Amino acid sequence: MSSIVYLDHAATTPVLPEVLNAMTPYLTQSYGNPSALHQAGQTARSAVEYARLCVARTLNADPGEIVFTSGGTESDNAAIFGAALAHPEKRHLITSPIEHHAVSEPLHTLEKQGYEVEVVPVDRYGRVDAQDLAKRLRSNTLLVSIMYANNEVGTIQPIAEIGAFCRAAGVLFHTDAVQAFGKLPIDVQAQNIDMLSISAHKFYGPKGIGVLYVRQGVTIHRYQQGGEQERGRRAGTLNVPGIVGLGKAATLVCNEMEAETYRLGKLTSRLIQRVQEECDNVYLMGSVEHRVPGNVHFCVRGLEGESLLLALDAKSICASAGAACSAGSVEPSHVLSAMGVDRDLARGALRISLGRATDESSIERAATVLTQSIRDLRALSMA
Ligand SMILES: *Cc1c(COP(=O)(O)O)cnc(C)c1O
């Protein structure tokens, strides 16, 4: 009974055994610097290039368009600041109000430097209207940055539509696909995506490694100065074991995406059904139709998400009161605010994110503990 039920896969995932096995030789045996011309270096170099090919295939990209970074945060920063440095004459950007801080903070920095950052609203499900966005495109628009799927409520954006509008207007389109990769099919060609960020630790790879896809012909300037690695696009010695792990994990999750989507769909439906049948005034946030597999987000009227989270944790169930990065903050989530959720209800936010290790029994246990905790905490607040 005391084993952990981990339901916080949107915050991070474990490294799969196959991924660890693929990485290990590059930590201990084939540790050469991939920029070195000797055998040891070239062994590492081939492993990096094979991983690059694997990632490129999963996105329908060219290997030359894949730049390895230290993760989602760096990829987002590199895309935004890189575009700004490369096109100093363009001073207008478009984004959504529900972006991850790795996108919204760099944009905020540009705003302080005099850039105009226009925010397209989302509807109550957390969706941007692509037509509305299209009307805001200008000849001096530097970049549109809209996340693929939201990390809190799991809402999927109309990426292909936005991509088509941006392409027609000749405006760069970046998407933070950290929550989407491995869960949703991505095709950078068909969806007209110019730049895209992913992070390995969100799809069963190691932490501290990610990718920025940069379409061929798109110029961004690097803002981190140093060596000529990644064809001058990202300075610093390559994280070979991380890259190998990312490549392995990417291939694995993409191959099993369809089956896993189906499996997670049944589990999330069961969880939602049980909680809503057994408790009043618990609302499922986000969209039912446009939702990333494995995401469940409830707002529980009259309770604090944080108290609920601690009650679950006491019974060895790991969930989140929203985004991991803003955990501990008392302000209600900017995502829920943008969706028009009232402050009171937003305080009762609970995100439950399922993953590969989640099975029926863990979902039944989570549902039982969650419904009991809601009843207990409500009784307590009545007393
Ligand atoms: C986790 C996350 C990031 C940050 O990725 P790191 O690799 O942890 O830096 C960025 N965007 C979204 C949507 C995320 O969920």
Side-chain angles (χ1 to χ4, degrees), residues 1-8 304-321 350-352 365-366 369-370 373-374 377:
M1 185 62 190
S2 64
S3 71
I4 274 184
V5 172
Y6 183 80
L7 296 172
D8 200 14
E304 295 278 345
E306 212 109 309
S307 330
L308 206 44
L309 176 66
L310 295 176
L312 291 177
D313 190 41
K315 298 271 165 63
S316 298
I317 295 181
C318 301
S320 163
L350 184 73
R351 179 186 70 187
I352 301 170
R365 192 174 133 203
V369 173
L370 176 57
S373 305
I374 293 174
L377 287 169

Side-chain angles (χ1 to χ4, degrees), residues 4-164:
I4 274 184
V5 172
Y6 183 80
L7 296 172
D8 200 14
H9 291 84
T12 196
T13 57
V15 170
L16 290 175
E18 301 93 312
V19 172
L20 179 62
N21 284 341
M23 291 171 65
T24 307
Y26 295 95
L27 287 158
T28 51
Q29 291 156 6
S30 306
Y31 49 78
N33 188 319
S35 301
L37 294 178
H38 50 61
Q39 290 173 45
Q42 290 310 298
T43 306
R45 167 59 60 187
S46 337
V48 166
E49 294 316 319
Y50 179 66
R52 198 187 303 280
L53 180 68
C54 291
V55 182
R57 279 192 189 134
T58 65
L59 297 171
N60 192 23
D62 238 42
E65 299 173 316
I66 303 299
V67 180
F68 291 111
T69 67
S70 67
T73 302
E74 186 189 326
S75 295
D76 289 342
N77 275 265
I80 294 166
F81 290 129
L85 286 171
H87 306 281
E89 73 291 355
K90 297 191 172 177
R91 308 290 289 180
H92 175 243
L93 299 101
I94 300 177
T95 190
S96 84
I98 62 164
E99 297 297 312
H100 190 276
H101 287 140
V103 165
S104 60
E105 287 302 310
L107 290 177
H108 188 57
T109 297
L110 289 182
E111 203 169 23
K112 283 189 287 189
Q113 293 171 7
Y115 284 80
E116 187 187 343
V117 178
E118 195 168 342
V119 179
V120 202
V122 292
D123 64 17
R124 62 202 196 91
Y125 306 105
R127 263 199 137 209
V128 162
D129 177 349
Q131 304 266 0
D132 178 9
L133 186 149
K135 287 189 207 123
R136 301 165 195 260
L137 294 166
R138 303 181 194 158
S139 57
N140 77 332
T141 305
L142 168 68
L143 181 72
V144 170
S145 185
I146 301 284
M147 72 199 318
Y148 205 120
N150 181 261
N151 48 304
E152 293 182 33
V153 295
T155 303
I156 304 165
Q157 301 301 335
I159 293 300
E161 270 178 86
I162 297 170

